[in-house]
Amino acid sequence: MLQGTLEVLILRCLKLQANHAYGISLFLQQQSDSEFVVDNGSLYPAIQRLLQRKWIQGQWKTSPNGRRARYYSLTAAGRKELLRATSKWQRFATAMAKILASEG
Amino acid sequence: MLQGTLEVLILRCLKLQANHAYGISLFLQQQSDSEFVVDNGSLYPAIQRLLQRKWIQGQWKTSPNGRRARYYSLTAAGRKELLRATSKWQRFATAMAKILASEG
DNA sequence: TCGCCTACGGTAGACATGCTATGTGTCTAC
DNA sequence: GTAGACACATAGCATGTCTACCGTAGGCGA
């Protein structure tokens, strides 16, 4: 996975609905057809960073199967950041496409 | 710039024609509409890595304006790597698009 | 001739972030 | 009673980009 993309993916996932870390991991793997298999050692530190920047907030709840889980949700700043990061990605991907396609 | 993408861009640039580092830098900036402004501190180490992996080779020549310049060109292994890396990027970009577009 | 700009080369160290390895505990199914 | 899914988390390494710095040579204007 390319550096800098994980946080956008997490924000995007949480925009759809609040979720816990394990759930985020499953979501990303499924939605990407297993292209993104996020390891705990990447996921948890990323979540910590997002919390510190106040882009997400977390609270302990009980998951449907009766287990303790920390559910995260987007803050207002997080929604703003998601927009910013998404558009940045679009520009980046467009530029990549331009060069990879440049005739040759 | 996202980590891991610079090398593909360099390989791609060199596939079109042999070029020196400064020229690669200009090429990337122009072709990407200034989205990619590569710094020397990123470019030269990247070129060193590509040399070490034998994906490119270099030789000193004289540029059109009569200056010393080290021209790099793709090796056979480099061309193979370019294909591999390009397809990897495609998969990655596709997966990103899937998630960023997932309805919400 | 002096200074500045552009074309070219390069290194050192900081920093960000993903990966590997490791650890804890519960619940369910076999 | 044990294998595997569910759920949390940390420590340390590896990778690669950025900031900042340094050096040469040619051309041009004042």
Side-chain angles (χ1 to χ4, degrees):
Chain A
M1 165 150 335
L2 294 185
Q3 249 184 250
T5 52
L6 181 53
E7 298 182 3
V8 203
L9 293 172
I10 295 175
L11 290 178
R12 177 65 194 178
C13 171
L14 294 181
K15 195 198 175 187
L16 302 182
Q17 62 173 332
N19 209 342
H20 49 79
Y22 185 75
I24 294 174
S25 171
L26 291 179
F27 172 85
L28 293 180
Q29 185 167 349
Q30 289 164 4
Q31 295 293 312
S32 69
D33 295 331
S34 291
E35 175 71 18
F36 300 141
V37 180
V38 184
D39 196 273
N40 280 354
S42 309
L43 184 59
Y44 285 96
I47 288 178
Q48 292 308 318
R49 290 194 299 273
L50 296 176
L51 281 172
Q52 273 176 19
R53 292 172 201 157
K54 315 266 189 185
W55 290 341
I56 66 177
Q57 54 193 355
Q59 58 176 324
W60 289 95
K61 290 190 183 175
T62 303
S63 75
N65 4 7
R67 296 172 190 228
R68 277 171 69 258
R70 199 165 171 192
Y71 278 77
Y72 303 98
S73 57
L74 283 189
T75 63
R79 273 184 289 275
K80 217 174 275 182
E81 171 61 19
L82 174 58
L83 286 176
R84 212 186 58 77
T86 302
S87 103
K88 186 178 172 184
W89 163 259
Q90 304 289 8
R91 280 204 316 280
F92 186 87
T94 304
M96 280 294 287
K98 262 181 209 155
I99 291 187
L100 293 184
S102 57
E103 126 291 337
Chain B
M1 167 150 333
L2 294 185
Q3 252 184 245
T5 52
L6 181 53
E7 298 183 3
V8 204
L9 293 172
I10 295 175
L11 291 178
R12 176 66 195 178
C13 171
L14 294 180
K15 195 198 175 186
L16 302 182
Q17 62 172 333
N19 210 342
H20 48 78
Y22 185 74
I24 294 173
S25 171
L26 291 180
F27 172 86
L28 293 181
Q29 186 166 350
Q30 289 165 5
Q31 294 293 312
S32 70
D33 295 331
S34 291
E35 176 70 19
F36 300 142
V37 179
V38 185
D39 195 273
N40 281 354
S42 309
L43 184 58
Y44 286 97
I47 288 179
Q48 293 306 319
R49 290 196 299 274
L50 296 177
L51 281 172
Q52 274 175 19
R53 293 173 200 157
K54 315 266 190 186
W55 290 341
I56 65 176
Q57 53 193 356
Q59 57 175 326
W60 290 95
K61 290 190 183 175
T62 303
S63 75
N65 358 8
R67 293 166 193 235
R68 278 170 69 255
R70 200 165 170 192
Y71 279 77
Y72 302 96
S73 57
L74 282 189
T75 63
R79 272 184 289 277
K80 216 173 277 181
E81 172 61 19
L82 174 58
L83 286 176
R84 210 185 60 76
T86 302
S87 102
K88 186 178 172 185
W89 164 259
Q90 304 289 9
R91 280 205 315 282
F92 185 87
T94 303
M96 281 294 286
K98 261 181 212 157
I99 290 186
L100 292 184
S102 57
E103 130 287 336

